Amino acid sequence: MISIILPTYNESSVIATTLTALAQAIQQVDVPVEVVLIDSSPDDLTVLAAQAIMLPCPLQIIRLPGKRGAGSARNTGVKAASYPFIATVDAAVLVEPDWLSTLWTTQQTTQADLVWGNTLHGPTNAFERSYLRSFYRPSFSRRFMNNLLIRKSVYLELGGLNERVHSGEDLELFAKLDQAAYPEAYVEACSTYTGYPQSVKAILRKWITFTADNVVIGQAKAKFIFVSFEVLTLLMVGIGFIFNFLLGLSLLILWLLGRFVAQVWLAKRPFESWIEFPMTLGLILVFDYSRCLGLIKGLSRRRKENP
């Protein structure tokens, strides 16, 4: 009854842990289950590591040529799925043992077309904790494609995920859901996200791409991203430096302090070491800077695609 869709790209170091957690969750449901792994890696390491894990259900492996993005991978997996219900996870997500049974029981009880689980964060070091403080807002939507049970027919009726972009591919689907009348349910089917960037370069690459893709596909929120408090303030800081160095420096300090207080208060994540104070300040700057660059890149791509 349930096909678990798992896209992978160079996940050989974590796929065993991911599948082991999935195996425990699958054992707690009494309906047929399969895992559909869609791999875009340039080598066979991820697939070989996955095949080495003993699962209590069939494992269907689909190889995609080149890095196609999560949207293309998930759409391919859903079309190849054998069962009428789709559960979606990521290789960087570890599900709890009762994850699948909680999603399935909720669907059977409510008859909802979509059941969203609860994705938790699991930073393991000072850099990851500081990175999480730099951008995380508790008011973000609880909709995450890495923790969802959905009818296959509904997924296909909505058109699946956007394959033109490599990040933010699910936002267009969420916008369609807001306009549709499909019954949804939220439940504490917990999974833990662990796939954080491990360097400043990786953070820049992730958020420049994410912001640019959102602008390209014309998401409503992305259209107004340039009026966000962070980007506007960063622009004011740059203008301040142009007119007067001390003015620019003063604005930069005030901006960093304001963002630091807001993010620490909103994230409600205590500091575990002194190094996290300057690290959080620096990563806030990196995050906002990457969004500015992503906005510029996205607008440039839109002009090229729509001259």
Side-chain angles (χ1 to χ4, degrees):
M1 290 289 289
I2 306 172
S3 296
I4 300 176
I5 308 302
L6 176 60
T8 58
Y9 178 77
N10 287 344
E11 310 287 359
S12 59
S13 62
V14 299
I15 193 63
T17 304
T18 302
L19 288 176
T20 300
L22 278 175
Q24 295 177 356
I26 292 168
Q27 290 173 339
Q28 295 197 21
V29 294
D30 57 359
V31 296
V33 178
E34 69 170 348
V35 174
V36 182
L37 187 149
I38 311 94
D39 185 58
S40 304
S41 306
D43 53 44
D44 297 327
L45 296 179
T46 300
V47 169
L48 292 174
Q51 291 173 329
I53 303 301
M54 294 295 295
L55 292 173
C57 70
L59 172 63
Q60 181 184 167
I61 294 177
I62 301 173
R63 297 296 302 272
L64 294 180
K67 188 176 182 181
R68 303 282 292 277
S72 177
R74 282 202 173 95
N75 289 345
T76 300
V78 170
K79 292 174 184 176
S82 305
Y83 297 124
F85 284 92
I86 303 298
T88 58
V89 293
D90 285 338
V93 170
L94 299 180
V95 301
E96 295 293 324
D98 63 349
W99 167 74
L100 191 59
S101 62
T102 302
L103 288 174
W104 179 246
T105 300
T106 301
Q107 194 286 321
Q108 292 293 287
T109 302
T110 64
Q111 292 299 304
D113 290 327
L114 306 92
V115 181
W116 303 93
N118 185 21
T119 301
L120 308 175
H121 285 281
T124 59
N125 55 51
F127 186 86
E128 291 179 354
R129 289 190 293 270
S130 300
Y131 164 71
L132 193 56
R133 288 191 199 94
S134 73
F135 78 92
Y136 177 68
R137 277 85 158 170
S139 59
F140 279 167
S141 170
R142 289 184 63 187
R143 289 170 170 172
F144 292 101
M145 288 302 298
N146 57 39
N147 195 339
L148 167 67
L149 181 70
I150 182 173
R151 294 184 192 272
K152 179 179 178 178
S153 59
V154 170
Y155 185 98
L156 295 176
E157 286 171 12
L158 290 168
L161 300 176
N162 192 313
E163 299 187 13
R164 295 171 54 206
V165 296
H166 287 269
S167 61
E169 68 283 341
D170 50 3
L171 296 180
E172 193 171 88
L173 179 69
F174 298 163
K176 293 178 182 177
L177 283 174
D178 289 336
Q179 299 174 358
Y182 296 109
E184 304 178 45
Y186 292 87
V187 67
E188 292 301 314
C190 293
S191 64
T192 301
Y193 183 80
T194 62
Y196 305 105
Q198 297 299 311
S199 67
V200 170
K201 181 179 179 180
I203 294 173
L204 285 168
R205 182 169 59 247
K206 174 183 177 68
W207 286 104
I208 289 174
T209 301
F210 181 82
T211 306
D213 283 347
N214 288 349
V215 173
V216 167
I217 62 179
Q219 290 300 314
K221 291 182 180 179
K223 292 178 182 178
F224 303 103
I225 199 168
F226 57 88
V227 301
S228 69
F229 172 78
E230 297 93 332
V231 176
L232 270 179
T233 308
L234 202 57
L235 179 62
M236 291 175 60
V237 170
I239 295 174
F241 273 112
I242 292 175
F243 286 98
N244 184 284
F245 176 79
L246 290 179
L247 174 61
L249 183 61
S250 299
L251 289 173
L252 177 61
I253 293 174
L254 288 173
W255 166 76
L256 275 175
L257 288 175
R259 288 277 287 118
F260 178 82
V261 170
Q263 283 305 103
V264 171
W265 177 72
L266 288 172
K268 295 181 175 62
R269 294 186 175 275
F271 292 97
E272 298 184 21
S273 63
W274 68 267
I275 192 64
E276 293 180 30
F277 282 89
M279 195 175 286
T280 299
L281 281 170
L283 292 184
I284 286 174
L285 179 60
V286 170
F287 171 69
D288 286 352
Y289 179 67
S290 64
R291 289 214 302 163
C292 289
L293 292 180
L295 172 64
I296 295 171
K297 181 178 180 180
L299 292 174
S300 175
R301 282 171 54 188
R302 287 194 69 173
R303 279 194 290 268
K304 290 180 180 179
E305 293 181 11
N306 303 289

